Amino acid sequence: MSAFVETANAKINLTLDVTGERPDGYHDLCMVMQSVTLCDTLQIMIREGTRLEVQTTNRYIPKNDKNLAAAAAVQYFRNAGIPRPGLSIFIEKNIPVCAGLGGGSSDGAAVLRVLNARYGALTSEQLLETGAQVGSDVPYCIAGGTMLAQGKGELLSALAPLPPCYVVICKPDFPISTPILFSKINCTKLRCRPDTGGMISALEEGDLSGVARRVYNVFEDVIEPKRREELKAIRTVMIDSGALGVSMSGTGPSMFGLFDRRESAEKAQKRLLKRYKESFLTRSV
Ligand code: C5P
């Protein structure tokens, strides 16, 4: 038996644009992604036999192959052409689920990193392809950092890192369905789009205010009005506390704010915690 411990970081979308519809029913995206210190911790044990079991500290997370950590393991051995051994995966879940923070994708990516470090059967490119078969955000989560992600999310290019800052994340309590939100987007009629080029330049210049000014997510516009009011209220708390910029992450509903001062970020988190227990003070990583 061999055992591994791996960290799975959450991600935020500094920008998220939907640029087209694809013949496969998916959408072409253009996103600037950033990983943060908020993370799950995975313990992965490779055993004798063929049993694949997943346990987590969150009872709402599936334990079958709908769990992206399990799906990633299955896909890894399939693509590697290696018979699957017994596997026990334990996930200490800290990243909110169904939150637009890439929690499930990051768990899947962590499993792929561990298995490829152990077996070395896939090239980096093949590992990213395997990730893409598991979920659209998995390729980015394998690498992490500051990245431009295009296509379905699998075309990655490294960007200059986000200047050091504090990131406050707040997940409101209402659920959002990613496929429904995608179906509401009409990418030819978007009123407003992120300035991705400007965002990339601001990153290159190490200009945190310029980055914060440009955070933008097209999905915020298609959230139903009542929910949008709630997101607006979260934004107001963050801005009043000193956030340089606030946006929604992924298909939501989590909001994040970028702060240059720790006291301001702590103030925002403290105020948000009064209403939202899933409010976090993190840093970019
Ligand atoms: O790939 P993943 O399972 O993460 O995608 C979840 C859903 O999000 C898909 O079923 C699809 O409806 C939508 N999606 C999309 N275009 C993308 C990524 C996801 O339409 N590039």
Side-chain angles (χ1 to χ4, degrees):
M1 189 187 84
S2 38
F4 304 86
V5 176
E6 183 77 359
T7 295
N9 295 92
K11 61 83 183 165
I12 54 172
N13 293 83
L14 296 176
T15 62
L16 199 169
D17 198 4
V18 181
T19 54
E21 284 172 31
R22 301 164 57 105
D24 61 5
Y26 277 71
H27 293 77
D28 277 318
L29 307 175
C30 184
M31 318 183 272
V32 175
M33 323 265 279
Q34 174 65 51
S35 44
V36 294
T37 50
L38 174 65
C39 62
D40 295 342
T41 304
L42 283 82
Q43 292 172 34
I44 301 166
M45 270 176 277
I46 301 174
R47 302 175 181 280
E48 289 188 354
T50 55
R51 201 174 129 95
L52 170 55
E53 58 171 10
V54 180
Q55 303 284 341
T56 89
T57 50
N58 182 324
R59 64 194 160 104
Y60 298 108
I61 293 176
K63 295 189 176 61
N64 54 19
D65 57 7
K66 287 215 168 60
N67 185 300
L68 294 189
V74 170
Q75 199 64 42
Y76 182 82
F77 288 105
R78 191 175 292 152
N79 291 4
I82 300 172
R84 179 157 52 79
L87 280 171
S88 299
I89 302 172
F90 176 76
I91 308 172
E92 183 196 309
K93 200 74 202 158
N94 302 308
I95 306 172
V97 293
C98 299
L101 299 171
S105 304
S106 193
D107 294 342
V111 168
L112 293 178
R113 282 196 304 268
V114 163
L115 293 178
N116 211 38
R118 163 70 177 77
Y119 294 94
L122 302 180
T123 62
S124 312
E125 205 166 277
Q126 288 168 329
L127 197 66
L128 292 179
E129 280 165 19
T130 306
Q133 290 169 327
V134 177
S136 301
D137 281 342
V138 178
Y140 163 74
C141 291
I142 291 173
T146 312
M147 291 261 183
L148 178 68
Q150 291 173 282
K152 281 164 75 173
E154 81 289 8
L155 304 174
L156 299 170
S157 5
L159 298 175
L162 177 65
C165 64
Y166 300 92
V167 183
V168 173
I169 294 174
C170 174
K171 179 185 170 282
D173 294 326
F174 58 87
I176 280 191
S177 157
T178 295
I180 291 178
L181 219 56
F182 267 105
S183 70
K184 282 188 181 173
I185 280 273
N186 182 339
C187 48
T188 56
K189 286 196 180 151
L190 287 171
R191 280 191 301 127
C192 203
R193 321 192 82 112
D195 172 14
T196 310
M199 173 63 81
I200 293 170
S201 301
L203 287 165
E204 278 164 4
E205 287 157 20
D207 172 10
L208 180 60
S209 303
V211 168
R213 241 192 345 266
R214 290 179 176 85
V215 291
Y216 192 77
N217 182 337
V218 293
F219 282 117
E220 224 181 300
D221 258 1
V222 295
I223 302 265
E224 54 179 300
K226 196 177 120 216
R227 305 301 199 189
R228 215 177 318 145
E229 283 306 306
E230 197 171 340
L231 301 186
K232 210 168 132 194
I234 293 170
R235 170 177 276 110
T236 302
V237 171
M238 295 221 205
I239 295 287
D240 287 352
S241 306
L244 303 174
V246 180
S247 186
M248 193 173 83
S249 186
T251 49
S254 298
M255 298 289 284
F256 69 89
L258 302 182
F259 295 77
D260 56 351
R261 294 177 58 237
R262 185 167 183 106
E263 309 87 79
S264 309
E266 280 172 351
K267 186 169 158 194
Q269 186 204 18
K270 202 166 151 200
R271 289 177 64 187
L272 290 164
L273 274 171
K274 288 187 185 145
R275 169 129 191 232
Y276 302 105
K277 63 180 190 312
E278 292 185 297
S279 300
F280 305 89
L281 172 50
T282 69
R283 304 209 58 162
S284 57
V285 64

